[in-house]
Structure formats: C-alpha cells, structure tokens
Amino acid sequence: MDRLSRKIIRLTRVDSTQRVAFELAERGAADGTVVVADTQTAGRGRRGRVWQDEPGDSLLTSVIVRSQLRVVDLPKLSLAAALAVAEAIEATTGLRARLKWPNDVLVNGRKLAGILLESRIVAEPVVVAGIGINLRQRSFPEELAQTATSVGLEAGRAVGRDELLEAVLAAFDRWRTRLERDGFAPLRERWLALADTIGRAVTVGEHAGVAVDLAADGALVLQEAQGVRHVVAGEVLGSEHG
Ligand code: BTN
C-alpha cells in the first residue's frame, strides 16, 4: 500500500489503539488502516500486561490487517511486525536493532519496542498489529529500569515520530506482502539474521534450554537436556549466552 492511499487516524488520548482499531474494523475499515495516539490510558501489552506511557513519549500505533493468509499462519504477522520495527529503527537511527522471540525489539540488549498481535473473526478474520516504540523516555519506572530503553537514550537524539511511523508502515507492508506471496522462508531467514535469542539459554514457560532455531511454523526450537522441543509463543526469560 502506498503512502497516499493509507488512512491514518490520529488521536490525542485513547484507552487503547487496539480497541479503536477493532471497533473501526467492525465498521468495515479497510485493510491497512492505521490508528496512532499520543497517549493511552489502558494500553495493552502481551500476556494481559499493561503498556504504560507518558504523553508524547512513544509511538503507539495499531494497524488493521485483512490478510489472505490461512488462519493458522496469521501469528507469523507478529514476527513480520517485529522485523519491520527493527528495520525501521535501523533505517531512521542507524541503531542496530535485534529481535527477541517472539516479537520484542531490543537495542543493546534492552527492550525498545513491543508488538501485540490480536485477531478476531468479524465475518472474516481481522488482525490488529499493535506496536509500541519507546521514543523519548529519559528514564523508566524502577521495574523496567534495567531492561527497557528508548530511541532517544540509544541514539542520543530525537527521532520524529511520523518519520519512524512511516518507516515502520512501509517495512511492515513489505514483509507482510512477502509472507503472503512467498511464504514464511524469506521472513524466517531475515528474522534469524537479526535474532538476539538464538544461541542463548532461555526459559519459556516451564521449558528451559538453549534456543537453537526458528521452526518453519514460527515456533522457537529449544535444545533441552532431554532433546529438542518446539515452543509456540510464550515469554522468553534469561539471556545468558549458551
Ligand atoms: C508487549 O507487551 O511487548 C506488547 C506491547 C504493545 C503495545 C502497543 S502500543 C499500541 C498498541 N495499543 C495497545 O494497547 N497496545 C499496543
């Protein structure tokens, strides 16, 4: 989708751009419609967590995706979104962004962006890819102080929110189209090239092992003491090199 035909809805303050995007989708909003907000009062994170922000500090956006992918392949869009964010950060700031399975974006080992992919069946499947990027934060609440970072902290300069949004949307379109046209292999290859998780000792839920690969279905392949295990989306904890 080109820049001019994309509809972007800009809001000042909203509970969650995800909620707004689903509401718009129910009312028939087109594929590729984007919602952006300056601040969210009930931002949603993965696994039921909250995603907090101070007004104007973050890029908070949700993209409506009406995809031709099979329902079973829709979760791969979250890997596409993470990759798009990593590429957009690198293109606009020169920072080396890395991917933590399933879909966190890290810079210098700290989380700079998160993705929340949600889907609903509204006559047909609708996916909303929610993207939160830390832009201008100078510090974080105590519980995030050791693990989070922002573009401003890492790049040492401000990066325009719209410039980054434009780059994210263009990269997401590219990877989504590639996934729909060519299957998962090219996305998997690129994801692995930017992966931070591979080669590290990790814990996903109750499973612990060394992350060794990304499977053809998007699962993380763990080498455990007893053998190889494929894990579907969960939380990756721990990050020592294996
Ligand atoms: C995570 O837990 O890492 C995912 C965070 C996703 C946050 C974004 S901000 C824009 C969109 N709206 C929401 O309520 N959540 C997502």
Side-chain angles (χ1 to χ4, degrees):
M1 171 170 313
D2 66 66
R3 230 157 47 84
L4 298 177
S5 53
R6 184 193 306 283
K7 181 157 191 196
I8 302 185
I9 292 145
R10 294 172 194 277
L11 305 168
T12 309
R13 184 181 151 97
V14 72
D15 51 355
S16 162
T17 55
Q18 294 291 98
R19 207 259 317 141
V20 174
F22 275 115
E23 194 176 293
L24 291 170
E26 268 169 41
R27 290 200 249 123
D31 182 31
T33 301
V34 176
V35 180
V36 193
D38 291 346
T39 188
Q40 298 184 128
T41 53
R44 311 210 280 248
R46 291 183 55 241
R47 296 165 71 83
R49 285 188 290 244
V50 291
W51 184 264
Q52 280 177 322
D53 69 274
E54 291 295 324
D57 270 359
S58 309
L59 171 54
L60 307 164
T61 188
S62 295
V63 185
I64 296 175
V65 184
R66 299 184 185 276
S67 177
Q68 298 308 313
L69 289 170
R70 294 178 308 161
V71 169
V72 62
D73 289 325
L74 292 175
K76 296 184 176 113
L77 287 166
S78 71
L79 298 169
L83 192 49
V85 169
E87 290 188 345
I89 285 169
E90 190 145 353
T92 52
T93 67
L95 292 169
R96 198 163 168 264
R98 287 291 169 267
L99 300 169
K100 177 174 168 182
W101 188 86
N103 44 29
D104 285 350
V105 180
L106 311 180
V107 171
N108 290 323
R110 289 170 181 248
K111 180 164 170 172
L112 187 127
I115 314 290
L116 174 69
L117 195 86
E118 297 181 299
S119 54
R120 298 205 186 140
I121 310 274
V122 189
E124 53 185 22
V126 177
V127 170
V128 173
I131 299 171
I133 305 179
N134 300 331
L135 269 187
R136 293 181 221 275
Q137 290 86 344
R138 306 301 310 170
S139 63
F140 289 89
E142 201 182 329
E143 64 278 13
L144 298 177
Q146 301 306 316
T147 54
T149 192
S150 69
V151 171
L153 284 172
E154 298 297 331
R157 67 180 171 90
V159 170
R161 192 178 71 169
D162 285 349
E163 184 194 352
L164 186 54
L165 175 64
E166 208 48 66
V168 167
L169 295 176
F172 182 55
D173 263 357
R174 260 196 323 274
W175 279 112
R176 174 218 163 154
T177 304
R178 193 108 196 255
L179 179 62
E180 290 172 338
R181 197 188 54 205
D182 303 332
F184 186 50
L187 172 57
R188 175 177 170 273
E189 191 178 320
R190 181 74 175 133
W191 192 95
L192 283 169
L194 296 188
D196 179 79
T197 307
I198 304 301
R200 290 185 188 267
V202 297
T203 305
V204 189
E206 70 268 34
H207 308 298
V210 176
V212 289
D213 202 0
L214 184 68
D217 62 355
L220 186 66
V221 183
L222 276 192
Q223 179 70 55
E224 297 181 320
Q226 308 85 327
V228 167
R229 179 186 299 276
H230 287 218
V231 284
V232 289
E235 202 58 33
V236 175
L237 303 169
S239 57
E240 296 148 43
H241 278 286

